[in-house]
Every structure is written in C-alpha cells, then in structure tokens.
Amino acid sequence: MNLAWRDIRHKLGRFVLTCFGLSLLLSVVVMMAGIYRGQTSDALALLRAIRADIWIVESGTLGPFAEASSIPGDTREMVARINGVVEAGSITMQNVQIERSGRKVRLQVAGYEPGRPGGPIHLVAGREITRSHYELIADRQTGLAVGEMIHLGRNDFTVVGVTSGVVTLSGDSIVYMTLRDAQQLQFDLAPSATRREAARGAQRTQTDFVNAVVARLSPDVPPEEVAEIMRRWKHLSVLTGTEQEVLMTRTVIERASKQIGLFLVMLTIVSAVIISLILYTMTMDKIREIATLKLIGAPDRTIIALIVQQALMMGVIGFVAGTVLVYLFKNNLPRAIVMLPSDIATLFGLVIVICLLASMLGVRAALRVDPGRALVG
Amino acid sequence: MAANTPSQPLVEVKGLSKHFGEGESRVDALRDVTISVEAGEVVGLLGPSGSGKSTLLNAIGSIIQPSEGWMRLDGEVVYDNRWLSRDLRHMRLEKIGFIFQTHNLLPFLDATDNVAVVLHLAGVPRGDAIKRSEALLDYLQVGHRKHAWPSQLSGGEAQRVAIARALANRPRIILADEPTAALDSVRAGIVMDLLRKLAVEQQAAIIAVTHDDKIFDRFDRIFHLRDGRLDDGGDQL
C-alpha cells in the first residue's frame, strides 16, 4: 500500500496545482541554463557561418567583434596571394536600427563580397545576392520575407534571400548586403555634409575600408603556419578561427556568462528554499495523520517513505513539466535557448538531490511528532 | 513474548507515577496508580479534566514514559522503572488497539484501507489484509460502506471503522479515549455494546476514558481518578 500515492490521489487538485507552480519555477531554472548555453551558441553562430580559418584585422586589435577594427580594402588581395590560402573575402559589420510595423528593430549589417567567404552559408528561401547594389539577405529571425523592402541609410533594399540561425552576441538579427553597399552605409556622408565638406575645401576621404578579411585555407595547411607568415607584416593582426572562437566565448561574453551563471545559481538556491517550504508545509498539513500512523505502529521508514516519495514525485513532475514548457516556447523567446541533453540530465539530478535534501526538513518534523498528538481532540 | 496465563490480568499496573517538570514547577499527573484489567473486561476511567485519565491511558499505551512504577501487558512485563521493550512501536502494533475520541481515520484511505493499513504495517499480504478488513467491517455492520472515504461516513460509521482498525491485528488490549464523545446516545450505546461483545468474544481487555454518563452502565468496573490518584480499586457495576 503506497501511502504517498494515496495521499496525493486524495488531494489531486492541490498536488497538481503545486506541481504546476513548481514547474513554472523550474522552467525558469531550465530557461536560464538554456540562455547560458544559448549565449555561447549565439557567439559562435556568426563565426561558424563565416567558417574562416584565418581572421586578418587591424594591428594591435582583437577585431572585429571584441574590438573595433579597420583595415584597407585591398588587404584581401594581399591575403589571397599567400601560399595555402584558398579564398579570402572582406567583411564589414555595423549595427543599425530600423522601424518595422511601428516597432524598432535592431539589426547587424554584414557586408561581404558575394562569391567570397563572409556571406551566409545556406538559404532557407530566395536566392543569393546577384546584383551589386540594394539587395539583401536577411536572417529568418528578422521576420523579413523575400520580396520585402526596407530602408537603410539613404537607399531602399530588397530582400532576395532568407537565411537562418545567425545572430549577434546580443541576439540581434543579421542582414547581409554587398560590401560596397555596406561601406556606403557606414562611411558615406549625408549630401548636406558632403556639400559642407566641399565648401570648406576638404579633400574627399577614402572610404575603402573593411573591418576584417577572412580566409579559408587548404585543408593540408595548418592555420597557425599561415598566421605566422601574416604576422610578419606588422601592420595587421591575425587570429586563427580557433583563437577567434576562444576570444568570443571566453572573453567577449565572459561577464555576461558569469552574470547568467550567477542568476542560475541564485535561482537554484531560491528553488531549493521554495521546494523545502512546500514540502515542509505539506508535511505539517498531515501531522495528525502522521501521529495516527505512529500511534498504530507505523515504523519510521513508512513515515519517511511517505514524505520522500511525495517530494520525488513533485520534483520529477515539476521538472519534466517545466522542461516541456521551455521546449514548447523556446522559439518564441527573444534570446536563443539551447537545451543540451547533458545540461537537462544534470539539472534533473540536481532537482532530485534538492528534493531529497528539502524533504529532510519535513522528515525531521514528522519523526519528532509525538504519537500522543493523535489522541488530542 | 511471554504468554498470558488465565490467572494473569491482561493489563497490570502497579505504583505507576508520572510527573512533569521539576522543583517548584513539578506537576504530578499520576501518583502511585495501581489497576488491573482482566481479559473480557470493559473498564472505564472517570475523573475531572486534568485528573490524569489520558496520562494513564497514554502510559499504558507506551505513548509517554512513566516516571516510575511497573507494568505488565498481555503477560509481558514492559515497564519496570524503565521500558523493557526495545521496540515500543512494534509492541503497540502487536498488543494494543487504539480508539480515539475523534475517529482519526486517515482521510486519504477508504474504509477498507483504513483497516488494512494496520495489517499492511504488520506485514500481512495485501490480498489477505483486504479480506480480513472487509470481514471486520461486515462484523461491525459497516461493510456496505467499505469503499467510502472517511469524509463520506457518518459519525457512527466512522467510529465503527475506527474500531475495526483497532481490532485488525487482534490486539488483546484496547485503549479508547472518549470513544463515544462524538456520538448521540443511541449510537454511543451501540458502540459500547459492540466493545463489550468484542471483549467477550476476543477475550480482550478494554480500557475507556469517558465523561459520558449515558454509558456508565456499560462498564464492568469504573476507576475514578482525582489529582492523579485512584479514588479506589474500581467500582464494580
């Protein structure tokens, strides 16, 4: 006779409500763990989309994500001539904000040379950019569809393709355009400013700058070897793909990761306290029944099993429901949620341990109950 | 376990005392109480509030530890200025059945399982436990309510289920604390008649604490307690 299950069945509505509340609490814990992983995933998404073996950036900088970087536009031709480089492409990165359907949308504009590294890897709709101006490929997260037009800078751009899964560190969506358009968007002055510059006799400044050059190498050439050759140029800095990934995950998002990690720990502690209080209250609610059981001769193990089994049932149901909830709604959340099986298993184990420890408070109270309490009218 | 011989009372208490606190705050709840109850006997414990009735019942039921004295239950000396039994819980399970003022049925078990739970704790297989529980409920004329929840039972029905639970392990000693307090006079009479019948048929000793003067005539003897002392050796009725 399983007393724990009988008690739950008797107060099923209350138990279901408690589990629902707990599942919401645990869903926040699972979500926070998902955001923690999602941040790393977001950080690497753009890098992995570009699939560069070598990143060439401004001398003394860790660009283009960790620090600002600006290098001459012809750097790509120098890089392409190095032995072992299969292909190279120039890229620019810049943040813009547009209004769409009355909402402000943050975008990162990536400029690239179509046919060279730096552009989107795969399209889920539409086609590649084929015209040299005013065409755009947008990430699915932007909500832009093929054929739509958006106004950027002084020009209207037509969405010709849609890619997916590429976001910035802060979770903003990415749009791709040709390098030339991106440079115009970034460096061209407004007509009034151009007229003012001409009036004061200023020379027209060069705008052929890029933020970085990315290169793909022959598979049999070690990236470190090629990077060493380029480092001798002095006026440029070079990062291998691996170094760029380490930089992104360990340095750029380190503070944010620590913050989310701290929230995760605090949420877990808060959950543990709340679970303890719920279990303690559940135990205190049936203190008379526990006293009766002790009076009629129930051993301690029966009382302990009653409390611990209920704690475990509550923990398992709450965790599973919470995880399912996150899984169902994760695509509707503003930040990427990545749920790794190993993380879910670890959190599940943690919840079980918390439930076991939390039930000890109730068990302690139950074991101290005087059987004579059942006799009190 | 020592066997009870026909000449030995089922409950034998000698010089039992219980005090709470020490020094000026010391309260003597029981003072040198001596009683014995034979098999088949139904005795009542009477007295004003605070006279020590419940303390005596709890001491016999091994729920509280007496301060001094000697006690033999069902042929086994269980207390001689200290508990001699290592497992009081098991002793309660085997030897003693409790009937409470309020029925104290477990609200999450139906009538049958409220009885079967005692057998389950004693290690009786589930099937046998259910059969024995249903038979007991039939015997107590509440078999037709075997699947009812405690909240669905009337006061009399609930008390009969509680009596069935107290009898499930066939204990030789039944301790009842105000067993008829929650019942009207007709049902109180039915419950007391039932206890009397059980005492005779199962050769059990029944000790009941009561204030209910409607049932005084159902006891074989009545012990009067006042300030923790027995007034006499028990009025024979």
Side-chain angles (χ1 to χ4, degrees):
Chain A
M1 188 186 297
N2 188 311
L3 296 176
W5 169 237
R6 298 297 182 93
D7 185 37
I8 286 172
R9 201 176 58 175
H10 181 67
K11 295 179 217 156
L12 194 59
R14 188 177 163 183
F15 183 76
V16 168
L17 268 180
T18 308
C19 284
F20 177 68
L22 188 62
S23 70
L24 290 181
L25 179 68
L26 292 177
S27 72
V28 179
V29 176
V30 172
M31 204 185 297
M32 203 50 90
I35 290 173
Y36 184 84
R37 290 290 181 198
Q39 200 175 33
T40 309
S41 164
D42 281 354
L44 296 177
L46 184 58
L47 293 185
R48 288 180 180 164
I50 293 170
R51 281 190 308 163
D53 297 314
I54 294 281
W55 289 73
I56 298 96
V57 296
E58 186 179 342
S59 175
T61 73
L62 296 167
F65 306 107
E67 290 181 285
S69 159
S70 184
I71 56 175
D74 60 3
T75 307
R76 194 253 305 155
E77 287 153 29
M78 288 164 51
V79 170
R81 285 196 289 270
I82 302 286
N83 188 31
V85 174
V86 175
E87 52 184 344
S90 300
I91 60 167
T92 61
M93 296 284 168
Q94 116 183 70
N95 289 314
V96 296
Q97 184 171 298
I98 61 164
E99 270 212 18
R100 192 164 174 267
S101 310
R103 283 176 50 227
K104 288 183 170 54
V105 181
R106 301 263 320 152
L107 296 174
Q108 183 160 69
V109 176
Y112 78 107
E113 299 170 283
R116 298 188 194 281
I121 301 178
H122 67 280
L123 300 180
V124 293
R127 59 166 173 81
E128 295 280 354
I129 291 174
T130 51
R131 290 170 55 194
S132 52
H133 287 295
Y134 314 132
E135 286 189 344
L136 198 92
I137 291 173
D139 187 82
R140 187 154 54 183
Q141 192 184 280
T142 60
L144 293 167
V146 173
E148 233 176 293
M149 286 187 80
I150 59 168
H151 190 77
L152 288 171
R154 295 198 304 277
N155 301 302
D156 289 325
F157 288 79
T158 307
V159 179
V160 296
V162 175
T163 184
S164 72
V166 191
V167 290
T168 65
L169 288 173
S170 53
D172 293 339
S173 306
I174 288 191
V175 293
Y176 293 91
M177 60 175 62
T178 62
L179 185 69
R180 195 56 57 203
D181 283 346
Q183 283 173 323
Q184 273 180 8
L185 188 66
Q186 196 168 153
F187 301 116
D188 272 10
L189 296 172
S192 55
T194 310
R195 283 194 297 275
R196 182 188 174 281
E197 288 299 295
R200 74 182 182 98
Q203 284 187 340
R204 188 175 167 77
T205 51
Q206 192 195 346
T207 59
D208 187 17
F209 286 101
V210 296
N211 297 130
V213 169
V214 291
R216 290 187 191 138
L217 306 179
S218 173
D220 53 341
V221 178
E224 196 48 52
E225 205 173 274
V226 177
E228 259 328 293
I229 295 168
M230 293 180 186
R231 280 182 189 125
R232 286 186 212 131
W233 290 344
K234 306 291 185 194
H235 65 292
L236 295 170
S237 282
V238 183
L239 296 162
T240 63
T242 312
E243 284 169 342
Q244 188 69 273
E245 285 194 6
V246 171
L247 190 67
M248 289 288 263
T249 53
R250 300 238 178 107
T251 312
V252 179
I253 61 167
E254 189 187 21
R255 187 178 287 266
S257 293
K258 276 184 181 168
Q259 209 165 26
I260 291 173
L262 183 69
F263 281 144
L264 182 59
V265 171
M266 284 174 70
L267 261 173
T268 309
I269 293 170
V270 169
S271 303
V273 171
I274 291 174
I275 291 171
S276 300
L277 288 175
I278 290 173
L279 291 172
Y280 185 72
T281 310
M282 277 170 73
T283 307
M284 296 316 280
D285 275 354
K286 48 178 174 281
I287 216 76
R288 194 179 172 88
E289 286 82 24
I290 288 170
T292 304
L293 279 168
K294 290 175 92 166
L295 190 66
I296 62 177
D300 286 350
R301 65 171 183 279
T302 303
I303 312 290
I304 294 169
L306 172 69
I307 296 165
V308 170
Q309 283 172 7
Q310 287 189 347
L312 290 178
M313 279 188 227
M314 209 174 69
V316 170
I317 293 170
F319 182 81
V320 171
T323 306
V324 169
L325 215 58
V326 176
Y327 188 79
L328 289 177
F329 291 101
K330 72 185 173 94
N331 293 332
N332 302 93
L333 298 169
R335 288 303 304 253
I337 307 267
V338 176
M339 296 164 76
L340 298 179
S342 57
D343 287 351
I344 299 296
T346 307
L347 279 177
F348 179 72
L350 197 63
V351 167
I352 295 299
V353 171
I354 287 173
C355 284
L356 285 173
L357 291 176
S359 64
M360 290 304 121
L361 204 61
V363 166
R364 188 165 168 267
L367 293 183
R368 290 163 72 137
V369 171
D370 177 8
R373 196 161 170 173
L375 298 174
V376 179
Chain B
M1 186 198 310
N4 190 45
T5 62
S7 59
Q8 276 181 344
L10 272 180
V11 178
E12 214 176 347
V13 173
K14 286 181 186 168
L16 203 69
S17 296
K18 172 68 184 173
H19 61 81
F20 297 99
E22 291 295 338
E24 284 185 8
S25 61
R26 175 174 164 138
V27 176
D28 288 299
L30 291 176
R31 303 174 201 223
D32 196 21
V33 173
T34 298
I35 62 167
S36 65
V37 185
E38 305 285 338
E41 218 180 359
V42 182
V43 303
L45 284 178
L46 264 67
S49 290
S51 60
K53 306 183 298 291
S54 293
T55 308
L56 179 57
L57 204 70
N58 290 351
I60 295 171
S62 73
I63 296 164
I64 60 167
Q65 179 164 4
S67 303
E68 57 186 291
W70 181 91
M71 206 159 45
R72 179 161 60 198
L73 302 178
D74 194 14
E76 183 185 355
V77 177
V78 295
Y79 188 83
D80 188 0
N81 290 319
R82 64 182 176 88
W83 290 116
L84 300 178
S85 173
R86 278 188 183 177
D87 191 351
L88 295 175
R89 176 200 68 78
H90 195 251
M91 188 191 78
R92 280 201 296 270
L93 185 64
E94 271 200 338
K95 293 185 189 297
I96 305 171
F98 290 93
I99 301 169
F100 310 97
Q101 182 176 350
T102 49
H103 52 74
N104 272 28
L105 295 176
L106 297 170
F108 49 87
L109 299 179
D110 65 14
T112 306
D113 279 337
N114 255 292
V115 180
V117 70
V118 182
L119 298 167
H120 165 74
L121 293 172
V124 176
R126 170 103 180 128
D128 291 348
I130 294 294
K131 269 185 203 161
R132 273 169 64 178
S133 303
E134 287 179 350
L136 260 173
L137 291 173
D138 286 337
Y139 175 69
L140 293 167
Q141 298 171 358
V142 72
H144 62 293
R145 304 289 278 150
K146 63 184 178 184
H147 295 308
W149 297 101
S151 58
Q152 297 168 328
L153 297 170
S154 69
E157 287 171 338
Q159 197 61 303
R160 274 181 280 166
V161 175
I163 292 170
R165 181 176 67 186
L167 300 176
N169 264 346
R170 299 191 183 101
R172 300 291 310 279
I173 300 158
I174 294 170
L175 304 176
D177 192 8
E178 305 267 11
T180 59
L183 305 177
D184 58 41
S185 56
V186 176
R187 292 186 193 286
I190 293 170
V191 166
M192 285 311 295
D193 288 343
L194 195 61
L195 289 177
R196 165 160 293 289
K197 187 177 165 197
L198 290 170
V200 173
E201 285 183 6
Q202 296 197 10
Q203 281 300 289
I206 298 179
I207 304 173
V209 166
T210 186
H211 281 106
D212 191 351
D213 54 8
K214 302 184 295 287
I215 59 166
F216 285 178
D217 58 342
R218 304 300 214 279
F219 294 114
D220 295 314
R221 281 187 296 154
I222 290 179
F223 292 96
H224 293 272
L225 271 162
R226 191 178 303 275
D227 298 329
R229 286 184 199 282
L230 274 184
D231 275 358
D232 46 48
D235 296 338
Q236 201 76 39
L237 296 175

